[in-house]
Each structure stands twice: as C-alpha cells, then as structure tokens.
Amino acid sequence: MPSLPEDFRYIAGHLDQDQQEALLADIRQIVRAAPLYTPTMPKTGKPMRVRMTNCGVLGWVTDKERGYRYQALHPVTGKPWPSMPERLISLWRELADYPHDPEACLVNFYGPEAKLGLHQDRDEEDFDAPVLSVSLGDACRFRIGGTDRSDSTASLRLNSGDIVLLAGKSRLAHHGVDRIYPGTSTLLKNGGRINLTLRRVTRPV
Ligand code: MD6
Ligand code: FE
C-alpha cells in the first residue's frame, strides 16, 4: 500500500456525535438559504454527480461557460452565500496552522451512487493555506496521490467525524472519492455523505 503524501493529515474521529449533530444543524440552515444545486463541468457542460453549495464570503462554483472559479453569489439564487458558522471558523483556527481565517466552505452532498474524480484543488490564489475537509454521514473510499497525476495513490476510508488536511507538501496532491458506502451512518436520516472543505482563497495583504 503506497504511503500517504508528506504533510497530509488524517485525523480520524475528530468530531464526536454531538459535534457532528451540531455541525449538521448549521449545514441544514445553510442549505435552506443556499440550496444544493448540480454544477456542470467546464467546456463539456457534463453535470457533476455531487451536488454543491457554499458558505463564507466566497464559494467555489463551476459551469460550462465559465469553468472553475470562486464567486460571492450563489449561481442559482443570485444571493450572497450564507456566512461561515462560528463552529467551522473555530475548527480552522484549531487545526489549520494558518494565521488567517477561511473565506470559503464548499459543501458537497453525495447520494449513494455519487463519486468525485481525481483532482487537485488549485483554484485558490494562496497555496500556503491548507484545505481542511470534514466528513459527515455515510463513509466513503477516499483516494490520495501525489502532485503528479501519475503518482501512485493510497486509499482510505473516511467516516463521519473524520478530518483531512491537504497542507504543506500535500497541498496540491491529487485526490478523489471512489465510492460511498451507503447505510454506514445514521447521522443523515435519508443517508448520503456531506463533505465540507474550508479554504483560504485570496492571498492575505
Ligand atoms: C470529499 N474532498 O471528501 C472530497 N479537497 O468528498 C476533497 O475534494 C478535498 O478532502 C481538498 C482537501 C481535502 C479534501
Ligand atoms: Fe478537493
């Protein structure tokens, strides 16, 4: 089994049941104000299998015409994204080892069949800041490789309450979600998996 990239952090079981439920309540409020929508791939317009929304001053979006980017407004409602919950800002301050607060939190929702292809997170201006990810609900098989797409990869199972950080030398590591394991968590009444990724987008002045 290939080893995990240098500076990659995997913190199993960081959030206990109460913390997961509190965070889920925050996310429900965000989704009420900023509904999940189906993003489309640049150029091809192919719909993604993961539904998305955001909170924070900026949100990550993609569509056929304008591709991957960050913007301040929800692409469907045209409204600003809901603000970042205190709970997420605290988590970032606790774990990110970075002196500025996050600007964006991408909320990904996976149904039982959803997956996410191998990719790099490189739409941010500032790669000095890590990307911090929180898993809630059903478990998944997460694949992590290296900075080159052809680098060998390792797989790990992410469970509800686990945290992953792409930091330092692993910041531009390729990663993706191969599959969801339906029925492995009771946190979401109707099943599925939520992944939150907290990011610093702009370079601090
Ligand atoms: C997911 N995660 O876990 C997808 N990106 O559903 C990501 O794409 C990701 O876990 C950047 C940093 C950590 C991640
Ligand atoms: Fe990613």
Side-chain angles (χ1 to χ4, degrees):
M1 165 92 157
S3 55
L4 297 170
E6 199 176 344
D7 298 333
F8 174 78
R9 285 185 69 200
Y10 167 46
I11 314 174
H14 185 77
L15 301 176
D16 67 22
Q17 182 72 23
D18 286 357
Q19 291 170 315
Q20 292 173 42
E21 279 169 16
L23 193 48
L24 183 60
D26 287 345
I27 301 306
R28 287 199 197 293
Q29 243 189 305
I30 287 161
V31 170
R32 270 197 292 273
L36 292 164
Y37 72 99
T38 299
T40 53
M41 298 296 284
K43 297 194 174 75
T44 64
K46 191 171 179 266
M48 293 185 70
R49 286 161 292 208
V50 177
R51 291 191 296 147
M52 298 184 180
T53 188
N54 290 269
C55 61
V57 292
L58 290 170
W60 186 87
V61 299
T62 171
D63 56 33
K64 180 177 179 173
E65 294 75 21
R66 295 171 63 199
Y68 302 156
R69 63 196 186 274
Y70 284 91
Q71 65 181 39
L73 306 179
H74 190 295
V76 178
T77 67
K79 294 200 286 195
W81 304 107
S83 58
M84 181 105 51
E86 262 322 305
R87 193 177 303 284
L88 287 179
I89 299 174
S90 304
L91 198 62
W92 174 273
R93 290 180 182 167
E94 178 191 353
L95 298 175
D97 191 24
Y98 184 78
H100 303 277
D101 282 343
E103 295 172 300
C105 172
L106 174 62
V107 179
N108 286 161
F109 178 81
Y110 297 74
E113 303 285 317
K115 40 183 143 180
L116 184 66
L118 205 66
H119 67 276
Q120 289 172 297
D121 283 36
R122 51 181 308 154
D123 302 315
E124 302 74 28
E125 291 172 12
D126 185 5
F127 299 141
D128 292 340
V131 180
L132 186 162
S133 131
V134 183
S135 292
L136 294 173
D138 285 336
C140 77
R141 185 164 72 219
F142 184 77
R143 183 186 292 275
I144 176 85
T147 304
D148 289 337
R149 200 177 169 82
S150 58
D151 289 342
S152 65
T153 62
S155 292
L156 59 166
R157 177 178 162 124
L158 297 183
N159 294 304
S160 194
D162 291 357
I163 303 241
V164 154
L165 285 134
L166 294 190
K169 294 193 180 78
S170 72
R171 176 62 180 76
L172 293 174
H174 286 75
H175 57 280
V177 172
D178 292 342
R179 63 161 298 185
I180 301 297
Y181 297 110
T184 51
S185 166
T186 54
L187 186 71
L188 307 182
K189 274 141 284 294
N190 297 318
R193 173 174 181 264
I194 293 172
N195 174 255
L196 311 174
T197 42
L198 279 66
R199 303 116 184 287
R200 178 78 201 185
V201 178
T202 64
R203 214 182 294 281
V205 282

